[in-house]
């Protein structure tokens, strides 16, 4: 069982509290280069600026890199925390399998990437007036280089933090699966509350973010590992960054298209969560033979007998 992997190592809950604080410090340190760049350019504090304003102060690709560098720093600190504070190998916070299944990572990546590309092209063909062709070869090539390297670090940080570190830590504390699933999904969605999309489209968009958290959490629990979630999250963010940008999105990039429509949150928020996401889970369930949904999503998390015996002795 994936969550029970943590029982094999140092799983005292105080370690997770300290580890979370250290990761937060790592993220703050990761923001320093962006703050320095903005200060040198304009002498303004980064806290006073929106991401759109940052893009106007600095080159958009450079700003994109510096924003993602924050997540890369957080990932580095998190992996050190897992290794040094919990004495836990990265493999065991990634999967319960004997080794990481990269085939699953690529399947999750390819599934959402193909879907996003197809849907974007359909939207462009149906409503071309909502898009500008934003493609510029040199800036786009630079964006591709940055995105391929940095976006997987950004998405891996979020996955290792929520579906890995927090899910295992909460699971060993409460000894069940449904509490970690709910808490990590809601917290993951809440992390996006200050995104410019929420300001533009209203709080209804939070259904999408929290729903995405549940999707990734269900993938992890049903598959007893994070590989599908790691690939899916990276594929989603990478294709989004390369295909479409807008003045009101968190990532404003040198993408192929620019959405100039007036964004509203309505049925387009509910369809992915209640129709598309269940379809993704159905495809994965068929491919990987998922079963025993009730136990894997709501069952107890038991400490392995071998660990119990060693502790008693």
């Amino acid at each position: 069982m994936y969550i029970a992997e943590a029982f094999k190592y140092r799983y005292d809950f105080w370690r997770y509290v300290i580890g979370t604080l250290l990761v937060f410090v790592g993220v703050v340190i990761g923001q320093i280069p962006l703050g320095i760049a903005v200060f040198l350019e304009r002498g303004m504090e980064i806290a006073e600026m929106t991401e759109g304003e940052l893009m106007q102060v600095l080159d958009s690709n450079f700003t994109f890199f510096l924003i993602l560098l924050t997540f890369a720093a957080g990932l580095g600190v998190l992996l050190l925390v897992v290794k040094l504070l919990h004495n836990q190998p990265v493999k065991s916070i990634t999967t319960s399998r004997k080794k990481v299944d990269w085939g699953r990572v690529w399947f999750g990546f390819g599934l959402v990437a193909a879907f996003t590309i197809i849907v974007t092209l359909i939207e462009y063909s149906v409503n071309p007036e909502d898009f500008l062709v934003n493609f510029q070869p040199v800036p786009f090539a630079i964006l591709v280089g940055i995105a391929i390297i940095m976006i997987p670090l950004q998405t891996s940080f979020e996955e290792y933090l929520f579906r890995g570190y927090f899910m295992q830590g909460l699971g060993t504390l409460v000894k069940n699966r449904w509490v970690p699933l709910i808490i990590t999904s809601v917290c993951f969605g809440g992390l996006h509350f200050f995104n410019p999309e929420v300001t533009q489209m209203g709080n209804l968009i939070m259904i999408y973010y929290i729903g995405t958290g549940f999707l990734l959490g269900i993938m992890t629990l049903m598959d007893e590992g994070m590989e599908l979630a790691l690939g899916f999250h990276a594929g989603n963010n990478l294709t989004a960054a390369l295909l479409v940008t807008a003045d009101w999105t968190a990532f404003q990039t040198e993408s192929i298209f620019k959405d100039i429509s007036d964004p509203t949150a309505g049925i387009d928020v509910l369809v992915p969560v209640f129709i598309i996401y269940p379809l993704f889970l159905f495809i994965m369930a068929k491919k990987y033979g998922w079963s025993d949904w009730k136990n894997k999503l709501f069952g107890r998390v038991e400490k392995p007998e071998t660990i119990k015996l060693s502790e008693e002795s």
Side-chain angles (χ1 to χ4, degrees):
M1 291 175 58
Y2 172 68
I3 292 179
E5 283 287 308
F7 282 121
K8 301 176 183 178
Y9 309 98
R10 297 170 181 167
Y11 62 92
D12 315 84
F13 193 69
W14 64 264
R15 296 180 186 272
Y16 288 96
V17 175
I18 293 176
T20 300
L21 293 175
L22 291 174
V23 171
F24 175 77
V25 172
V27 170
V28 172
I29 292 173
Q31 293 177 337
I32 292 176
L34 178 59
I36 291 173
V38 173
F39 180 80
L40 292 177
E41 184 68 24
R42 287 285 183 88
M44 298 173 65
E45 293 185 6
I46 185 174
E48 298 175 353
M49 306 178 68
T50 66
E51 291 183 10
E53 290 171 334
L54 290 175
M55 295 290 185
Q56 295 172 7
V57 172
L58 303 173
D59 172 77
S60 61
N61 278 328
F62 184 46
T63 305
F64 186 57
F65 169 78
L66 291 177
I67 291 173
L68 294 178
L69 186 62
T70 300
F71 297 92
L75 177 62
V77 173
L78 176 58
L79 296 182
L80 285 175
V81 163
V82 170
K83 179 66 176 178
L84 301 178
L85 188 60
H86 297 269
N87 197 32
Q88 183 174 359
V90 175
K91 194 278 295 181
S92 73
I93 201 174
T94 307
T95 185
S96 61
R97 283 170 273 277
K98 292 183 179 180
K99 60 181 181 179
V100 176
D101 186 344
W102 289 99
R104 278 173 154 85
V105 176
W106 285 112
F107 180 78
F109 182 98
L111 179 64
V112 70
F115 175 82
T116 304
I117 292 171
I118 292 170
V119 169
T120 301
L121 292 177
I122 291 174
E123 288 182 350
Y124 177 68
S125 64
V126 173
N127 300 302
E129 69 278 3
D130 289 342
F131 297 88
L132 287 177
V133 177
N134 191 55
F135 178 73
Q136 300 180 64
V138 174
F140 181 74
I142 296 172
L143 170 65
V144 170
I146 294 171
I148 288 176
I149 296 172
M150 299 301 293
I151 284 183
L153 297 178
Q154 176 246 327
T155 55
S156 293
F157 169 63
E158 294 182 4
E159 289 309 305
Y160 275 105
L161 184 64
F162 287 97
R163 258 63 64 180
Y165 195 63
F166 289 167
M167 187 166 280
Q168 287 190 344
L170 288 168
T172 57
L173 177 68
V174 301
K175 304 295 192 301
N176 65 46
R177 290 169 166 244
W178 64 271
V179 169
L181 174 61
I182 292 174
I183 291 178
T184 58
S185 300
V186 173
C187 289
F188 174 80
L191 186 69
H192 297 79
F193 182 75
F194 297 102
N195 278 19
E197 291 94 332
V198 179
T199 302
Q200 183 69 35
M201 304 175 72
N203 292 339
L204 186 63
I205 191 67
M206 293 303 298
I207 294 176
Y208 170 77
Y209 290 126
I210 294 174
T212 301
F214 273 101
L215 170 71
L216 295 166
I218 292 170
M219 284 184 198
T220 300
L221 291 178
M222 290 303 303
D223 204 49
E224 297 290 4
M226 282 202 308
E227 293 100 328
L228 287 171
L230 283 168
F232 187 96
H233 199 163
N236 180 76
N237 285 26
L238 183 61
T239 51
L242 296 180
L243 281 179
V244 183
T245 190
D247 291 335
W248 42 268
T249 57
F251 286 162
Q252 297 181 33
T253 64
E254 300 288 345
S255 58
I256 296 175
F257 298 109
K258 183 173 183 178
D259 186 344
I260 58 173
S261 65
D262 185 20
T264 56
I267 192 69
D268 53 333
V269 171
L270 304 179
V271 167
V273 175
F274 296 105
I275 297 178
I276 305 302
Y277 285 179
L279 178 60
F280 285 150
L281 291 174
F282 175 78
I283 293 171
M284 292 178 179
K286 287 296 183 181
K287 180 172 176 60
Y288 296 108
W290 293 348
S291 60
D292 196 14
W293 288 70
K294 181 179 179 180
N295 181 58
K296 287 190 173 183
L297 297 181
F298 302 100
R300 290 191 54 78
V301 174
E302 302 287 350
K303 185 182 297 185
E305 289 297 327
T306 54
I307 296 177
K308 291 181 181 179
L309 292 174
S310 64
E311 290 178 346
E312 291 172 357
S313 62

